[in-house]
């Protein structure tokens, strides 16, 4: 199994630009999670999906952030417009339905907004 | 909601010594407690976990203990090696399928 796949691995953009991060979960995993990691705030859950349906988006910081999961093998996290304070590492993780909590992380996308 | 506190924030040990990291949680309904290891620039990786129907679980040099009454759980690493140096995160499973993470412990193993 290839594990969770994220792209791009690094993204540098200017303030005000739209940023789209992509994730492919492990095949057969029913849950998908988006996290943000910074030194100041640690690992924060932004949103998670079950069977492609958003379950909890209480961690999404602002309306500038949106996430979609159009099918079981693909999800996007979009920031529009981006701001310097959005600079962080964004991780996607997936989890099988039968093993609640056992989350497997992707390699992350390091986002820098200048 | 669930709140997880982790101590210490940094830990330095000599190679071969043991390391212990402790976490407390607030929600008595939580029943799953994983530990993740994150090396510099890498993803968090699940290294061991425990569910609330057991008090201890071991995997080679790593063990986790759980005290549900006191609402705390600990990670024990024996015979530490330089490659154990990393940031370790504990977590507790909240309602649904949501993990609440501790702030992390930076472990340095000095050779």
């Amino acid at each position: 199994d290839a594990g969770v796949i994220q792209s791009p691995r690094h993204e540098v953009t200017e303030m005000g630009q739209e940023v789209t991060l992509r994730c492919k979960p492990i095949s057969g995993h029913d849950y998908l999670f988006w996290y943000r990691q910074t030194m100041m705030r640690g690992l924060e859950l932004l949103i998670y999906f079950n069977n492609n349906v958003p379950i909890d988006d209480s961690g999404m910081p602002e309306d500038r952030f949106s996430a979609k999961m159009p099918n079981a093998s693909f999800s996007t996290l979009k920031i529009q417009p981006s701001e310097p304070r959005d600079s962080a590492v964004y991780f996607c993780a997936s989890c099988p339905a039968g093993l609640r909590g056992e989350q497997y992380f992707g390699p992350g996308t390091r986002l820098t907004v200048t | 909601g669930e709140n997880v506190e982790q101590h210490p924030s940094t830990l330095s040990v000599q190679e071969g010594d043991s390391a212990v990291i402790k976490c407390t949680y607030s929600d008595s309904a939580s029943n799953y407690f994983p530990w993740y290891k994150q090396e510099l620039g890498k993803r968090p990786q699940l290294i061991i976990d425990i569910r609330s129907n057991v008090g201890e679980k071991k995997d080679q040099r790593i063990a986790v203990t759980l005290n549900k009454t006191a609402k705390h759980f600990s990670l024990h690493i024996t015979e530490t090696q330089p490659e154990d140096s990393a940031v370790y995160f504990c977590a507790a499973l909240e309602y649904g399928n949501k993990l609440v993470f501790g702030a992390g412990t930076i472990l340095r193993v000095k050779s």
Side-chain angles (χ1 to χ4, degrees), chain A residues 46-100:
Chain A
L46 301 177
I47 185 171
Y48 79 94
F49 296 83
N50 180 23
N51 290 322
N52 315 337
V53 176
I55 302 299
D56 186 341
D57 65 354
S58 59
M60 296 286 262
E62 299 169 35
D63 291 345
R64 298 185 296 106
F65 285 69
S66 62
K68 293 182 180 179
M69 191 164 186
N71 57 63
S73 58
F74 183 66
S75 177
T76 59
L77 178 68
K78 187 176 292 186
I79 309 172
Q80 166 63 17
S82 57
E83 297 183 2
R85 60 195 168 117
D86 301 330
S87 297
V89 180
Y90 291 81
F91 287 103
C92 175
S94 69
C95 171
L99 290 169
R100 280 180 63 241

Side-chain angles (χ1 to χ4, degrees), chain A residues 10-39:
Chain A
H10 301 274
E11 177 80 34
V12 180
T13 191
E14 291 184 349
M15 183 174 65
Q17 296 299 304
E18 177 179 296
V19 175
T20 299
L21 311 182
R22 297 173 176 80
C23 176
K24 176 178 167 57
I26 294 171
S27 177
H29 282 194
D30 296 32
Y31 287 86
L32 183 139
F33 305 81
W34 282 101
Y35 289 90
R36 178 172 66 177
Q37 186 175 39
T38 61
M39 290 293 294

Side-chain angles (χ1 to χ4, degrees), chain B residues 24 28-29 34 36-38 50-51 58 62 64 76 89 100 104:
Chain B
T24 60
S28 56
Y36 285 81
K37 174 183 180 183
Q38 187 177 26
I50 191 165
R51 296 190 187 267
K58 290 182 80 171
I62 293 174
V64 57
H76 304 253
F89 293 95
V100 177

Side-chain angles (χ1 to χ4, degrees), chain A residues 2-4 9 31 33 35 37 42-43 45 48 56 58 91 95-108 110, chain B residues 31-32 34 36 38 40-46 49 51 57 87 89 91 93-103 106:
Chain A
V4 176
R9 296 293 308 277
Y31 287 86
F33 305 81
Y35 289 90
Q37 186 175 39
L43 260 173
L45 177 65
Y48 79 94
D56 186 341
S58 59
F91 287 103
C95 171
L99 290 169
R100 280 180 63 241
E102 207 167 303
Q103 296 182 19
Y104 295 90
F105 282 74
R110 180 172 296 278
Chain B
N31 61 7
Y32 174 74
Y36 285 81
Q38 187 177 26
L40 190 62
K42 301 285 182 66
R43 75 190 78 187
Q45 288 196 294
L46 179 65
D49 56 15
R51 296 190 187 267
K57 184 176 177 181
V87 181
F89 293 95
L93 186 66
E94 205 181 48
Y95 62 88
N97 199 359
K98 191 174 170 177
L99 283 179
V100 177
F101 285 86
I106 300 172

Side-chain angles (χ1 to χ4, degrees), chain B:
Chain B
E2 178 65 275
N3 182 49
V4 176
E5 296 196 355
Q6 183 171 346
H7 300 280
S9 56
T10 61
L11 179 59
S12 289
V13 299
Q14 203 65 37
E15 181 179 357
D17 287 351
S18 295
V20 180
I21 303 170
K22 299 181 180 181
C23 289
T24 60
Y25 61 99
S26 59
D27 188 352
S28 56
S30 293
N31 61 7
Y32 174 74
F33 308 91
W35 286 88
Y36 285 81
K37 174 183 180 183
Q38 187 177 26
E39 297 175 0
L40 190 62
K42 301 285 182 66
R43 75 190 78 187
Q45 288 196 294
L46 179 65
I47 56 171
I48 195 167
D49 56 15
I50 191 165
R51 296 190 187 267
S52 60
N53 56 344
V54 297
E56 182 176 359
K57 184 176 177 181
K58 290 182 80 171
D59 183 3
Q60 299 184 346
R61 296 185 297 107
I62 293 174
V64 57
T65 58
L66 171 64
N67 183 327
K68 284 224 74 179
T69 303
K71 290 190 280 189
H72 67 70
F73 57 110
S74 301
L75 177 71
H76 304 253
I77 306 174
T78 59
E79 300 172 24
T80 53
Q81 301 168 4
E83 52 265 38
D84 294 329
S85 296
V87 181
Y88 291 81
F89 293 95
C90 64
L93 186 66
E94 205 181 48
Y95 62 88
N97 199 359
K98 191 174 170 177
L99 283 179
V100 177
F101 285 86
T105 296
I106 300 172
L107 174 64
R108 294 191 184 94
V109 180
K110 297 176 284 186
S111 55

